Every structure is written in C-alpha cells, then in structure tokens.
Amino acid sequence: MVTHLQSAYSPQEIFALLKLQFDLGVDEAVTDAPEIWRELAPVATHAASHPTPPVKRASAPAAAPAPQKRAEIQPSIASAIAAARTLADQATTLAELEEAVRRFDGCALKRTASNTVFARGNPHSAVMLIGEAPGAEEDKMGIPFCGPSGQLLDKMMASIGLNAPDGFYITNTIFWRPPGNRQPSAEEIAICKPLVEKHIALIQPKLIVMVGGTATKALLDSSEGITRLRLKRMAYENAYMKAAVTVRATFHPSYLLRQPMAKRDAWQDMLAIRRELFG
Ligand code: URA
C-alpha cells in the first residue's frame, strides 16, 4: 500500500492525510487496507490511470475539503432525532428494535465505528445497566462492556450475586464508538435517546443502574455530578413506559480503574443495588 501511495502522493501529502485521519479519530488499524482513504481522497484511486499534475496536489491542504463533504451529507440533528423517534415508535419487540438500531443511519458516529454495539446479557433480568458508549474493544467485538472496564463491572455485579450473562442486561446510551473514545456529544446523545427509551420500555426492568456520570446525566436530564447522583434513589419514566422504575447510579468502571480508592464507594453502590433487588 505504501508503494502505491508513494507513486501518487508526496510524503508531505501522505503525512497530512494521516494527520487528518487521526484528527477524525482513526487511532487504530481495524482492517488491512485503509478503507477511509478512498472516501477522503478519491484522487488516489484515479492516480494510476489519470495522474494529476503535481502542481495541483502538491500542497497538504488538498485533502482539507473532504470533511466538509462528509458533513454535507449528514442529516440535520432534528431530522435525525425524528427518524430515531419514528423507528423507536415502530419497534414492538426487542428484536425489531435491535434491527432498527442497526439500520439507523442518523448518527454520524456509525460512519467511523466498526460495529453497532447493541446489548448483552439477559433481557428478562430485573436489572438493566446503561453505560456511556462503546470503547475500542466493544467496537471491535460489537458487544458492550467486553473490554477491561466491562470485566471489572462483571466482577462488581458478581460480588452481589448477579453473574454475567444471565444476572443482568447491559447496554449504552450510544450505540457506536465515539472516535478516540471521546465523550459523546449532546447531539449524539439526543439522536440515540428515543431508541434508548424504547429499549428500556421493552426490557421493563425493575431497576435501572446508570453506569457513569455521562450516561446518568444524559438519561435523567440532570446537571448534577455522579458523586451526588449515585447517592440518590430516583424514579425514571419515559413516554414508552407504563410506569416509572427505580434508577440508581454508580461510578463508571473505567474511572474505578484509574481511581482504585473510589472502589470503596462503588461497593456501597453495589450493596444499594442488591438491596433494591433482594430487599
Ligand atoms: N464504556 C462504556 O460506557 N460502555 C461500554 O460498552 C464500554 C466502555
């Protein structure tokens, strides 16, 4: 591939395109060939048969218009939310909802993600955990919380007798990995929200556990931090639900991996979850 590129681009152009990809969040190789290359720089595929005069593509900014082109094809946020709402309204079963989420093209994150990450665990369990967004491992596997933070979360749940895969059901507020593991934006959360709301209504859990501050604030429309929210027993209801359910929040396991001292508080949260479920 490098040989091919060398024949069409100067080293400066190759460096500029690599930097552009990095800025877009492409921080790891998931396929043997750079698929995004064709999209960002269509000239590369024509170079062999129609060489572009060097003067026209000599400067690095030649690649700069590509992101604008990508942005143009994005639907407006409002119409993406409306499209998600329509799909959520139409789904009458969990399988239909999953199909709808996989089909949904309104969230731009889908274009940089490798997989749609829907859910794992027991849909008949009394407890539904909702995290933030898939990370690198989840994006590769298409399974939520299957990386290091998920392994810690599984251990925490097992400590109160809720063993994966049957003891709980788990999903995220966002179905696609934000590039470079950045936090999902308010727009991305708003676009996925109707689908998350229907997800909760179809699972009908007895208890929702919000995992981490971003997910908690997003679902509960709260500006309070996780440190305070995790101490509260709250009620949650959305338009698809017949009745409100109890919701509790806890620290995100990736925070606990960085701040092991907080595991003590997280253990208190686990006990509170256990009490909710088993009295
Ligand atoms: N963090 C999350 O919030 N969700 C995942 O699925 C993985 C890591």
Side-chain angles (χ1 to χ4, degrees), residues 117 131-135 138 143-146 149-150 171-172 211 252 254:
V117 179
E132 185 178 313
E138 290 76 19
I143 300 169
F145 283 101
C146 64
S149 65
T171 184
N172 284 304
V211 182
H252 196 286
S254 63

Side-chain angles (χ1 to χ4, degrees), residues 21-30 136 177-182:
Q21 292 197 29
F22 186 79
D23 291 345
L24 285 170
V26 183
D27 57 357
E28 64 187 316
V30 291
R177 181 195 183 204
N181 287 352
R182 65 161 168 77

